[in-house]
Amino acid sequence: MAGETSFDAVIVGAGFSGLYMLHRLRQQGLTARIYESATGVGGTWYWNRYPGARVDIESQEYSYSFSPELDAEWKWSERYASQPELLSYLNHVADRFDLRRDIQFETRVTSAHFDETANRWTITTDAGETVTARYCVMATGCLSVPNEPAFPGKESFKGPTWHTGRWPKEGVDFTGQKVAVIGTGSSAIQSIPQIAAQADHVTVFQRTPNFSIPAHNGPPNPEVLADWAANRARYREEARNTGFGLRMAAEGEVATFDVSEEARRAEYERRWAIGGFAMLGAYTDLISDLTANKTAGEFVADKIRGIVKDPVVAEKLVPKTFPIGSKRICVDTGYYATFNRENVSLVDLGDEPIEGITPAGVKTAAREYAVDAIVYAIGFDAMTGALGKIDIRGRGGQALKEEWAAGPRTYLGLMIAGFPNLFIVTGPGSPSVLCNMAVAIEQHVEWISDCIQYMGQRQLGAIEATETAQDEWVAHVNEVADTTIYPHANSWYLGANVPGKPRVFMPYIGGFPVYRDKCNEVAAKGYEGFALSSDAR
Ligand code: FAD
Ligand code: N01
């Protein structure tokens, strides 16, 4: 690998997206290199090693479908695979398809500049290396840049601090410690029960309570697995034909108020017993009608009140400021019951906001909480964070950072006007994080590799989204979002969790099948909405 400086494609990132992208491009006989800042493959599942980290979609659905052999040979040991198992799976994929020889680890891409005369990208790394490529694929991840804590005095804390998104490989032993966990998103909800089982005391600092549904995790049901094995191809296709790319969340066939309250309650109970995202599929209008949505939210609120013994704590844990599902639902193992433990306490930051971090711990408007360690479970600079860290320049030296100063703008979440031959996997403007990401990623990687093949077969030099197509798509993405419950939450989908980030609803909520059909139609019409040019211009 050493010494090569010119590729058909450079891929940034060796997670779920980058690995499959490399495999596809190599199958087409193209030369490609992945740059990855980590020491190994896995992306999300490399970095997020916090206790309790696991998938929120049943294992067999959160996996690649492109290779029936891979699908058949890999055996998941839990209904919801844990981070170590997911990391083993992605390492197995890297080995099985001999991907490592084209991956350069411990190397961060710092800039990507488009050379208009050559129709090529010049890519530089933090190792001082410069290479060029016809195509640059950003497989940099939607949730790969941790949200940095900005609490005053944070450097003064005398104990260790950990971010869930950058957990150390060797793990952390909390035995005998008083631990503060800041945040109550999915990462916190998965890790708090595990930390509480080990630590002397855990104080949870909650700014906004979240909806969480039990996973009912355990060994996979052999009958379910046998059924899956027998019907794999059909079930995969069924998943791709649901709005969220997930069989479990397949939409119901009737609207919320078409059934009696009693029937509705029974249906919610049935779905609570299945667990996870099943709840959201109960009725056709749960994500479009606030009144309908409220019935599901109230059902979960009652469950929380039923699990948490202290009614004051229970009430603090009940979400009241956003509709259920307008933030990604959390999928937990024993989260609410953890608040029945003697060694767990909840601080409601609505009553007493954090004023800062002191040498001894966390200082709120009410008092100081002395702790031995702090866990920041405060999320990510989502969807645009990783791209924003690379100096990306398109035509005329235009910086992506300036182009997106008021929020990201793309055509189909795949390409950006003014940035030819640059692809984003699961970028803003695509279903992405609203979906089963395994499904969203495969669809994007396949569309991108087909597009690159089309370009090669016709000896074309550059493909670029037109401004008109991009404007129309951005308008459509916003229009669809406005018909749903999603903009009602201060979520990371809107960039609301990062101070100063423009508030734009980033993913596309029109549903995976609608989106996939649109992408296919665009390709079938010779890449409608894109300008294609030859090298001789
Ligand atoms: P990532 O896995 O994020 O990989 C991107 C890689 O790019 C990283 O390894 C990063 O180091 C590298 N990179 C970024 N910038 C650079 C650079 N400049 N130079 C070099 N390398 C760079 N989705 C689901 O559908 N279901 C789930 O259950 C689920 N669970 C999740 C749990 C957690 C804790 C998190 C954080 C996310 C979860 N997600 C889940 C979303 C998850 O991110 C995707 O499912 C998927 O793993 C994304 O794969 P990716 O390859 O696109 O990005
Ligand atoms: O991050 P989050 P996450 N002071 O942004 C709080 C995927 N994922 O890492 O809601 C105090 O959701 C913040 O409060 P608020 C999944 O897609 C999946 O947990 O902004 N608190 C919130 O409570 C998920 O959606 C799994 O008011 C502050 C929390 O920190 C996404 O990744 C597991 C704060 C952050 O929650 C992100 O999840 C993990 C501050 N200054 C992740 N800043 C699975 O289950 C932030 N917070 C598979």
Side-chain angles (χ1 to χ4, degrees):
M1 183 162 68
E4 289 166 60
T5 56
S6 171
F7 301 91
D8 292 317
V10 157
I11 301 161
V12 190
F16 232 105
S17 303
L19 293 177
Y20 185 33
M21 194 74 238
L22 174 61
H23 177 59
R24 284 286 292 213
L25 294 181
R26 283 209 323 216
Q27 278 184 320
Q28 292 175 16
L30 301 180
T31 58
R33 174 178 291 174
I34 292 186
Y35 287 106
E36 167 58 63
S37 62
T39 61
V41 301
T44 286
W45 305 107
Y46 171 95
W47 294 111
N48 292 267
R49 297 165 191 253
Y50 59 82
R54 64 177 68 252
V55 71
D56 60 7
I57 288 169
E58 285 181 293
S59 312
Q60 69 274 12
E61 287 205 55
Y62 182 76
S63 60
Y64 293 114
S65 71
F66 70 83
S67 161
E69 296 78 22
L70 168 68
D71 220 359
E73 78 200 13
W74 186 264
K75 305 282 179 247
W76 296 104
S77 72
E78 288 183 281
R79 192 176 165 206
Y80 293 88
S82 66
Q83 173 273 327
E85 191 167 10
L86 287 156
L87 187 56
S88 299
Y89 171 73
L90 290 169
N91 273 286
H92 170 72
V93 169
D95 293 333
R96 194 188 192 288
F97 298 102
D98 187 23
L99 300 177
R100 290 181 205 278
R101 63 186 157 87
D102 288 322
I103 308 177
Q104 187 165 320
F105 294 109
E106 294 184 80
T107 310
R108 173 169 292 284
V109 167
T110 50
S111 72
H113 294 181
F114 187 64
D115 174 351
E116 290 184 61
T117 52
N119 275 339
R120 292 181 74 81
W121 284 90
T122 302
I123 289 124
T124 56
T125 74
D126 61 357
E129 201 178 345
T130 299
V131 297
T132 70
R134 168 76 68 190
Y135 300 101
C136 181
V137 182
M138 293 297 178
T140 44
C142 292
L143 296 158
S144 57
V145 174
N147 190 8
E148 288 302 324
F151 302 108
K154 74 178 160 81
E155 310 299 348
S156 71
F157 182 60
K158 65 177 180 351
T161 63
W162 316 100
H163 193 297
T164 48
R166 285 291 179 272
W167 207 259
K169 279 185 183 164
E170 61 280 12
V172 180
D173 184 0
F174 291 110
T175 308
Q177 295 194 0
K178 293 187 178 16
V179 183
V181 179
I182 303 181
T184 46
S186 296
S187 302
I189 282 175
Q190 288 189 328
S191 58
I192 286 166
Q194 303 266 326
I195 298 172
Q198 191 180 52
D200 178 50
H201 190 92
V202 176
T203 309
V204 177
F205 293 84
Q206 170 184 273
R207 191 165 68 180
T208 315
N210 240 313
F211 288 103
S212 190
I213 310 245
H216 305 304
N217 190 31
N221 179 334
E223 281 170 27
V224 171
L225 286 192
D227 179 44
W228 178 267
N231 297 291
R232 187 174 283 122
R234 179 157 67 86
Y235 288 172
R236 292 284 198 182
E237 194 48 29
E238 278 177 20
R240 288 189 278 264
N241 284 318
T242 68
F244 296 108
L246 183 60
R247 280 182 79 232
M248 182 193 245
E251 297 82 353
E253 282 165 11
V254 293
T256 307
F257 298 110
D258 287 349
V259 300
S260 70
E261 194 181 335
E262 198 184 12
R264 201 159 52 237
R265 210 165 171 91
E267 180 61 7
Y268 288 149
E269 282 291 356
R270 192 181 73 79
R271 287 177 181 262
W272 178 270
I274 297 171
F277 290 118
M279 186 65 67
L280 274 189
Y283 298 105
T284 51
D285 50 356
L286 280 184
I287 63 159
S288 56
D289 181 326
L290 279 176
T291 319
N293 179 280
K294 219 170 160 204
T295 63
E298 279 167 0
F299 174 85
V300 176
D302 283 348
K303 286 286 182 195
I304 300 170
R305 293 182 185 112
I307 298 169
V308 180
K309 291 190 179 128
D310 180 332
V312 177
V313 176
E315 219 40 52
K316 285 183 193 297
L317 287 166
V318 170
K320 299 190 177 77
T321 54
F322 63 94
I324 186 168
S326 60
K327 294 185 178 190
R328 192 168 174 117
I329 280 192
C330 304
V331 181
D332 73 277
T333 299
Y335 175 64
Y336 294 119
T338 298
F339 291 89
N340 294 332
R341 292 177 67 108
E342 291 288 316
N343 71 333
V344 175
S345 43
L346 180 67
V347 175
D348 184 343
L349 300 178
D351 297 339
E352 41 176 313
I354 295 177
E355 290 186 340
I357 305 295
T358 66
V362 182
K363 167 94 176 66
T364 69
R367 53 168 280 208
E368 183 181 64
Y369 295 83
V371 291
D372 302 306
I374 300 176
V375 174
Y376 293 113
I378 56 172
F380 300 87
D381 183 353
M383 300 202 79
T384 56
L387 296 172
K389 284 193 173 292
I390 304 173
D391 176 24
I392 302 173
R393 289 173 191 269
R395 277 197 198 288
Q398 176 68 19
L400 184 64
K401 218 170 279 180
E402 286 161 22
E403 200 68 21
W404 282 8
R409 297 176 66 77
T410 69
Y411 180 36
L412 299 172
L414 281 159
M415 296 194 85
I416 309 154
F419 295 79
N421 295 359
L422 178 81
F423 296 95
I424 319 168
V425 185
T426 66
S430 72
S432 182
V433 289
L434 293 177
C435 236
N436 172 354
M437 287 287 275
V439 166
I441 287 168
E442 281 195 328
Q443 185 257 339
H444 261 198
V445 166
E446 286 163 14
W447 192 95
I448 293 167
S449 48
D450 288 351
C451 174
I452 289 176
Q453 189 167 43
Y454 180 97
M455 298 288 292
Q457 284 166 345
R458 287 158 184 78
Q459 295 181 319
L460 294 167
I463 177 165
E464 178 182 355
T466 66
E467 288 282 357
T468 314
Q470 179 166 289
D471 288 349
E472 284 172 8
W473 183 251
V474 170
H476 175 62
V477 170
N478 290 326
E479 199 183 325
V480 178
D482 288 340
T483 65
T484 72
I485 57 167
Y486 284 85
H488 292 268
N490 272 327
S491 66
W492 57 258
Y493 296 146
L494 273 163
N497 62 329
V498 176
K501 193 165 171 170
R503 286 177 70 101
V504 175
F505 190 78
M506 294 185 280
Y508 175 60
I509 183 59
F512 180 77
V514 173
Y515 172 80
R516 177 203 48 199
D517 292 350
K518 168 75 180 170
C519 291
N520 290 346
E521 186 190 311
V522 162
K525 290 185 177 164
Y527 294 90
E528 187 182 50
F530 291 95
L532 280 63
S533 54
S534 62
D535 264 336
R537 289 166 335 122

